[in-house]
Amino acid sequence: ESDAFTYDPGFTSTASCESKITFIDGDKGILLHRGYPIDQLAEQSSFLETCYLLLHGELPSASAFEQFETTITRHTMLHEQFDRFFSGFRRDAHPMAIMTGAVGALSAFYHDSLDIQDEKQREISAHRLIAKMPTIAARAFKYSVGQPFVYPKNDLSYSENFLRMCFAVPAEDYVPNPVLTKAMDRIFILHADHEQNASTSTVRLAGSSGANPFACIAAGIACLWGPSHGGANEEALNMLKEIGTVDKIPEFIQGVKDRKYKLMGFGHRVYKNYDPRAKVMQTTCHEVLSAVGDPNDPLLQVARELERIALSDEYFVSRKLYPNIDFYSGITLSAMGFPTTMFTVLFALARTVGWIAQWKEMIEDPSQKIGRPRQLYTGSAQRDFVPISGRA
Ligand code: SDX
């Protein structure tokens, strides 16, 4: 076993759960999925193969992967009645609001036939969620821009199918861009799972009550939306746009030091070293901008200079603040054609496999009980009720 496992987290007693899925060493900047380093998966695997790995614990054989890919592909359509769900939203509804509602609504379509104690039905739920998230995400996007929904096509790969559902229009033939397809697939891999982060812990806690997996994933989406968590990619790009040019960086940095705002896309609850995903994200950003954007994009110049300054400034170094996955993802996704409101939707789409793998692991743990975090009570001591007539 690699020396990563001599690492003693020092928090065994307070760990919220045991898991075999993802290992993070925040001090060494290590991220492993079922033992495989994230940079190797990002470069050599595919998102669907990584989904299989996260769900089953091993990389699939060729025949097992073909069967898995066929199953996912054949679950990508939504019930036709589902489309009316979207039309209930205002056109300017945030796609994350639509996503949260739509995924929760999936319960209504599958709840009555779902026994989560049945392994086969847990597997089917996982496949349905992994398969339908791109279709729901693409429809949330199409609805927000007032364009017609595009149906999935079974002869396309997972990421190519998603990009086509987002960007194809009836008025012209859709021409896939292999650089963007590869970048999308790699971005999904980078976001697939991340141990017991806030949204995954939300899914586990919701699932511990026996709630159906669609409702649990909807709870995870709601938690992910927060700007301190999955919403940071949208905020990080808004921050770069607000700074605008390199000469404005010193003034912005001073504002961070004065605690007026945070440096979005920097810092992490666990990583006190570079987020290994951020390095791959930065490379992907450059590839996408070279293919479809402007490698000299002013926002990329601002991001690079901001990173350079922050990594040499005592304020950030002393607080062990390094770029996280969200720092470069916004520029990349924007160059790919996505509005900022879709960034966290893409994060949720990818993280669904992590959430559902962790949900399955929890449900299949025979020692699992309902989650019940305890508190330290700091309120009033016991006292007797005073009728309103007797109060001042
Ligand atoms: C994700 O948990 C996961 O794994 C999440 C995630 C996943 O894949 O699921 O990795 C995805 O959520 C990544 C994080 C995305 N969020 C952001 O980029 C938002 C900006 N980051 C911060 O909000 C912050 O860094 C957090 C929320 C991520 C972590 O906050 P903490 O726990 O307060 O960080 P810390 O305890 O290490 O802070 C140490 C100090 C504090 O200052 P002091 O009060 O000690 O003086 O650093 C400061 C913090 O105030 N600080 C920052 C900062 N992050 C922490 N100051 C300026 N800018 C920041 N970004």
Side-chain angles (χ1 to χ4, degrees):
E1 290 187 327
S2 90
D3 65 2
F5 298 94
T6 58
Y7 170 71
D8 169 13
F11 53 65
T12 311
S13 60
T14 59
S16 62
C17 68
E18 283 188 20
S19 176
K20 295 178 172 54
I21 298 172
T22 291
F23 174 77
I24 297 174
D25 179 332
D27 295 326
K28 298 179 185 169
I30 292 173
L31 168 56
L32 308 176
H33 288 319
R34 301 289 191 177
Y36 295 98
I38 186 63
D39 55 332
Q40 292 183 26
L41 291 171
E43 290 315 313
Q44 301 177 53
S45 186
S46 68
F47 177 63
L48 269 195
E49 187 178 62
T50 302
C51 287
Y52 185 99
L53 173 67
L54 288 169
L55 286 172
H56 299 288
E58 298 296 337
L59 289 168
S61 64
S63 60
F65 180 68
E66 186 184 352
Q67 185 183 349
F68 180 73
E69 185 172 37
T70 302
T71 302
I72 297 297
T73 302
R74 301 195 67 77
H75 279 82
T76 49
M77 284 183 71
L78 291 170
H79 191 293
E80 276 301 296
Q81 258 189 283
F82 209 86
D83 281 359
R84 288 181 14 216
F85 182 89
F86 292 92
S87 57
F89 288 95
R90 284 183 6 197
R91 282 287 178 186
D92 61 353
H94 194 294
M96 276 300 278
I98 297 176
M99 196 82 169
T100 307
V103 175
L106 279 177
S107 313
F109 287 82
Y110 303 114
H111 177 269
D112 54 1
S113 64
L114 179 58
D115 170 8
I116 61 171
Q117 299 311 325
D118 177 313
E119 183 184 2
K120 191 65 193 152
Q121 292 193 35
R122 287 197 295 270
E123 187 107 8
I124 291 169
S125 302
H127 293 161
R128 278 176 169 153
L129 278 158
I130 293 168
K132 295 181 191 313
M133 287 297 271
T135 312
I136 293 172
R139 294 194 172 194
F141 172 52
K142 283 302 201 187
Y143 187 76
S144 71
V145 294
Q147 290 182 359
F149 294 154
V150 176
Y151 283 87
K153 275 173 58 72
N154 289 356
D155 59 346
L156 299 180
S157 70
Y158 190 87
S159 294
E160 192 173 354
N161 216 352
F162 172 64
L163 289 175
R164 180 179 168 277
M165 286 191 281
C166 287
F167 297 116
V169 289
E172 57 191 30
D173 292 339
Y174 175 72
V175 180
N177 180 322
V179 173
L180 298 192
T181 301
K182 175 67 185 159
M184 190 79 268
D185 209 64
R186 192 186 298 153
I187 290 168
F188 285 159
I189 292 172
L190 293 177
H191 288 82
D193 189 52
H194 210 239
E195 204 220 65
Q196 304 312 316
N197 56 85
S199 54
T200 299
S201 301
T202 300
V203 170
R204 277 181 172 259
L205 197 54
S208 71
S209 74
N212 76 73
F214 304 99
C216 296
I217 299 302
I221 295 172
C223 177
L224 184 75
W225 195 0
S228 289
H229 189 11
N233 49 22
E234 180 175 350
E235 296 303 322
L237 187 63
N238 292 338
M239 171 190 75
L240 295 174
K241 287 178 178 173
E242 202 173 308
I243 295 170
T245 53
V246 168
D247 63 309
K248 296 281 184 19
I249 291 176
E251 180 190 349
F252 173 81
I253 290 281
Q254 190 53 52
V256 173
K257 292 178 178 177
D258 297 342
R259 295 170 180 277
K260 289 178 186 166
Y261 33 72
K262 295 225 172 183
L263 176 49
M264 301 310 280
F266 260 67
H268 199 273
R269 293 296 282 132
V270 177
Y271 289 124
K272 299 310 171 190
N273 192 321
Y274 221 89
D275 179 340
R277 302 168 296 175
K279 287 184 178 129
V280 182
M281 197 67 242
Q282 188 180 22
T283 307
T284 305
C285 182
H286 191 73
E287 286 171 6
V288 167
L289 289 182
S290 304
V292 294
D294 171 7
N296 301 310
D297 183 328
L299 290 183
L300 183 60
Q301 305 312 321
V302 170
R304 284 201 175 123
E305 182 61 6
L306 193 49
E307 179 183 11
R308 186 192 67 77
I309 292 173
L311 293 183
S312 57
D313 186 306
E314 185 51 27
Y315 180 89
F316 299 96
V317 173
S318 63
R319 290 170 172 77
K320 298 184 177 180
L321 301 178
Y322 295 88
N324 59 49
I325 191 167
D326 296 309
F327 190 63
Y328 283 102
S329 61
I331 302 173
T332 312
L333 295 172
S334 181
M336 292 175 74
F338 291 106
T340 53
T341 51
M342 277 295 288
F343 293 176
T344 312
V345 169
L346 300 175
F347 193 152
L349 188 168
R351 186 52 60 88
T352 294
V353 63
W355 287 330
I356 203 70
Q358 302 257 0
W359 170 81
K360 271 174 93 279
E361 183 179 63
M362 178 204 58
I363 294 288
E364 290 161 6
D365 172 0
S367 68
Q368 173 58 38
K369 295 186 184 327
I370 186 169
R372 184 63 177 80
R374 295 313 306 273
Q375 64 170 24
L376 188 63
Y377 178 70
T378 56
S380 302
Q382 182 170 331
R383 51 187 169 167
D384 294 332
F385 181 79
V386 176
I388 194 162
S389 57
R391 296 174 211 153

